[in-house]
Structure formats: structure tokens, C-alpha cells
Amino acid sequence: MNHSLNTRQIHLWRISVYFIFALPGFAIASWVSRTPTIRDALGATTAQMGWIIFGLAVGSIIGLLCASHLIAYKGGRFVIIAGLAVSSIGLVVVGMGGSWLTSSITVFLGLAVFGFGNGICDVAMNVEGTAVERAAQKSLLTGFHAAFSVGTLLGAMAGSAAIKVGISVPVHMAFAVAVTVLSMIYLYRLVPAGTGKETGGDSIDPPMSARERMAVWKERRTVLIGIIVLGMAFAEGSAGDWLPLIMVDGYKVTPAMGSFAFGIFVAAMTIGRAAGGMLLDRFGRVAVLRASALFAIAGLLIVILGQNYAVAAVGIVFWGLGAAFGFPVGLSAAGDDPRGVAARVGAVSTAGYLAFLVGPPFLGIIGESVGLLRALIVVLIAVTIAGLLSQAAKPIGMQTTKFRDQENRFESI
């Protein structure tokens, strides 16, 4: 149905998707920026905090596994709205449990609900993003993920300000929810209904059955792209959940400075993603993924071995630039074939979130024994593997000659 949209409708659709990507980033950063405060209120150890954060992983993975089926039957717009609504409820519960109730179980459950909403929304908005790419005939997904990073940056800045001013966690979370809900009420009208829906006969091919959607998990290319995204998402997720605490515990700085370091990471990642479309148009997916892996490796080494906050901050910039491309480029590659796009994007997203969400709690368990800085060596290994498998993201099928020529030109890089 999206084939019939005129140029203005596609433009409005594209703009709305930019804002939709920013909203989950803002909400996630609102939670991350208050992790030191919530940890102190709960009196949790590093390992205990890791298990609390695991609630986010549980909810997100359940959401990711359900997402492709929900999108196939209800369409992307419906799932985006539902996901943002559910995640907002979870964020309110997290705020109450982390301050007024000081209950680890409440925070865990709130994060699980928050994660479920984010999980289904994540797949739906990426399916929406790949559809806009096809309609506009441009490389846009890194730009959409840059918008996610902008939302995360704004959330981190708001969190740092909230800490300095002394705003309570529940009030801060309520503000984040208000921003999300009010924005979605306006934006949903600009998004076409039914993107990714496989029961309406949008394609000349018959819609995928539930069994066929599950079978994409066995496709060699999809599996390899999933491993790439897994490694790079681990680099992004580790910073997202642990960077403020890594700086506070490893470099003995204040919680506000820890949140500021997270802001540096997000800013670097945002800059990388903003330039992503241009870089992909010039060099192609494979070369960009390999270069990003090298940047992430360099940044992680600097943070692990850095002697002071200033040196570590330089490493954080490289880490952020390196982590910028893996997730969006991998999802764009997964969406090459319009038939079954929700299933493949969902599968790759799920693989990525296994690292993005399960990895950081695992990092906390290791960090309890060897320290969070040394635990980052695990992230270093995952990023290296992702870089070595970058060739799997080479465009296939009905991609334009322009894309194929880019990949062939830089295949030897």
C-alpha cells in the first residue's frame, strides 16, 4: 500500500520516523542516567544491579520474539504505538520502585515491562525505517538511528540536569513519559497504516506463514548479520547500561561526571550515525562496518588502559564512533528483501538484543570479580568477531546497481 504515497506523504512519513526513533532513546537514557541514584537508593552491589538490569533484557527479548508476528498481523504503526504505551507504564513503575518504594523487585518488574514495550517498538520502527528507505530510494536507516542517539543524548542531558537540580527519580520518569506520549499522539497520523503487514497482499508474493517467519533464523546470511549486530550491540549496550558506573567506580568521579561521560559517548555515536548515509553511499556497508569495528576496538582499549578521566574521554569518543554503525547497518541489510522483512529484522534485532541487553548484566557479574574496566575485554572480543564477519552485510537481491558497485569497489578493503 505504501507504493501509492506521493512525494509529500513520503517526506512527512520520513520526518515522523526520525522523531519516533528519538522517543525510545530519550526514555532509555532517562533510565540509564539515574542508575547510580537508583543503585544507591536500593543499596545494591554491582552484581545485584546486574540482575536488576536483567529484567530489561527479559522483557525486551520477549517483545522482540513477539514483534514480527504482531507486525505481520497488525502492521508497524499499531505496534509502535502499543510499544511506546507499554514502555511508558514500565518507566513509571521503575521510577516508583527506585525511589519511593526502594524495591529491587519492583524495579526489575518495571524494567521488564519497559523492555517488552521497547522490544516490540524497536522492531516495528526499524521495519518502518526500511520501508521508508525503499520508498525514498535513499540510505536512511543510519540517519534514523542517529535520531535515536539524539533522543538518547537529550535524555542523558536531562538526566544530568535532574541530578544536579535534585529532581526525584519518579518525577524525572514522569516527565520522560509525558514527552513520549504527547509526541506519539501527534506523530502517529503521519505514519501509513499497515507497514510490514503480511496479510493484506501488499506484495506479488504470497504472505509468509508463521512457520516461514521462524525459518529465517536458519538462513546463513541472516545468522551472520545477527552475529555482527550482536557484537556491535554489545559495545553499544555495555556503554548504555554501565558507562556512568564504569566512570564512577573505575575513575573515581562523581555521578554527574559519570552521566556526562555517557553523554560524550552518545554524542560521538550520534555524529557517526548522522554521517552514516554519506559514508555508506561512498564506501558501502562492508568497509564501513570494518572501520567501525576498528574504531570501537581502539576506544575500548583506551578506556580500559586510560590513566585519568580526560584520556578515558578520548577513548569514549572512539568507542561511540565505532558503535554507531553495527546496529543500523545490520538491520538495513536484514531488510534487503521486502518479503519477510519483519521476520528478518526481528531475528537480527533479537540477536543484537541478546548482547545489547543480556550482555551488560553478564558484564556486571564479571565486573564484580575483576572490575568493570577489565570486564570490557569481553566486549573487545565480541567487536573483533563482528568486524571479521562484515562481508555478510553485502547487499543482495533487488538492491540498486549503485549499492552493488559500492560494495564491489571496496570489497578488498
Side-chain angles (χ1 to χ4, degrees):
M1 65 181 64
N2 296 331
H3 308 88
S4 62
L5 296 178
N6 60 40
T7 302
R8 182 176 181 276
Q9 289 173 317
I10 292 173
H11 176 72
L12 291 174
W13 182 19
R14 175 180 172 181
I15 296 301
S16 66
V17 172
Y18 278 118
F19 281 96
I20 287 169
F21 266 79
L23 293 176
F26 185 84
I28 290 169
S30 298
W31 143 251
V32 171
S33 65
R34 301 312 294 261
T35 51
T37 305
I38 292 173
R39 180 189 66 171
D40 293 344
L42 297 176
T45 65
T46 301
Q48 288 171 338
M49 198 64 184
W51 283 111
I52 291 170
I53 292 172
F54 187 66
L56 185 63
V58 171
S60 296
I61 290 172
I62 293 173
L64 289 163
L65 292 172
C66 295
S68 66
H69 303 292
L70 289 172
I71 295 167
Y73 288 107
K74 302 296 291 185
R77 186 177 74 175
F78 175 90
V79 177
I80 288 171
I81 295 170
L84 289 173
V86 171
S87 64
S88 294
I89 293 171
L91 204 58
V92 170
V93 175
V94 168
M96 294 177 62
S99 182
W100 293 340
L101 301 177
T102 59
S103 166
S104 297
I105 294 176
T106 302
V107 174
F108 178 93
L109 293 175
L111 286 174
V113 174
F114 179 60
F116 178 83
N118 269 328
I120 61 174
C121 181
D122 182 89
V123 177
M125 69 186 189
N126 277 291
V127 168
E128 208 73 44
T130 58
V132 177
E133 275 193 327
R134 288 194 299 274
Q137 289 293 298
K138 294 180 181 178
S139 298
L140 298 174
L141 208 58
T142 53
F144 292 142
H145 281 257
F148 177 90
S149 298
V150 169
T152 309
L153 177 59
L154 293 174
M157 292 171 61
S160 182
I163 292 171
K164 289 183 178 180
V165 175
I167 295 175
S168 69
V169 174
V171 172
H172 180 191
M173 297 303 105
F175 169 75
V177 166
V179 169
T180 300
V181 173
L182 292 175
S183 298
M184 198 61 239
I185 288 173
Y186 176 78
L187 293 170
Y188 87 94
R189 296 169 294 177
L190 305 178
V191 179
T195 302
K197 193 172 182 180
E198 300 216 10
T199 57
D202 288 343
S203 172
I204 58 174
D205 296 316
M208 271 189 163
S209 65
R211 185 172 183 177
E212 286 178 308
R213 287 195 295 273
M214 295 305 296
V216 302
W217 289 80
K218 299 178 182 179
E219 296 173 353
R220 181 177 182 275
R221 181 174 184 266
T222 302
V223 170
L224 292 177
I225 292 172
I227 294 172
I228 293 170
V229 172
L230 186 149
M232 300 309 291
F234 195 11
E236 182 180 347
S238 297
D241 276 328
W242 288 112
L243 190 52
L245 292 176
I246 286 171
M247 300 309 293
V248 169
D249 295 349
Y251 287 88
K252 311 303 179 186
V253 299
T254 65
M257 290 181 72
S259 292
F260 182 75
F262 176 59
I264 292 173
F265 174 86
V266 174
M269 194 164 61
T270 303
I271 291 170
R273 284 177 172 170
M278 178 185 67
L279 293 173
L280 287 165
D281 286 342
R282 182 166 184 180
F283 300 109
R285 291 175 186 160
V286 176
V288 168
L289 284 174
R290 288 174 179 169
S292 66
L294 291 175
F295 269 82
I297 289 168
L300 285 163
L301 286 172
I302 293 171
V303 172
I304 293 168
L305 302 174
Q307 299 299 310
N308 56 60
Y309 186 88
V311 172
V314 174
I316 290 170
V317 171
F318 280 97
W319 183 358
L321 289 172
F325 299 100
F327 214 18
V329 174
L331 292 174
S332 182
D336 279 351
D337 185 354
R339 184 174 187 266
V341 61
R344 291 187 183 87
V345 170
V348 170
S349 294
T350 302
Y353 269 80
L354 286 173
F356 192 55
L357 296 167
V358 177
F362 175 66
L363 207 64
I365 295 170
I366 297 175
E368 185 75 9
S369 301
V370 301
L372 287 172
L373 283 175
R374 290 184 179 179
L376 290 177
I377 293 173
V378 178
V379 184
L380 197 66
I381 295 170
V383 170
T384 302
I385 294 171
L388 293 173
L389 296 177
S390 298
Q391 184 69 22
K394 187 175 180 180
I396 61 167
M398 298 303 293
Q399 296 301 296
T400 64
T401 302
K402 177 182 176 184
F403 281 155
R404 289 199 300 270
D405 288 346
Q406 289 162 357
E407 297 299 341
N408 291 334
R409 179 183 173 192
F410 292 95
E411 189 174 7
S412 60
I413 294 179

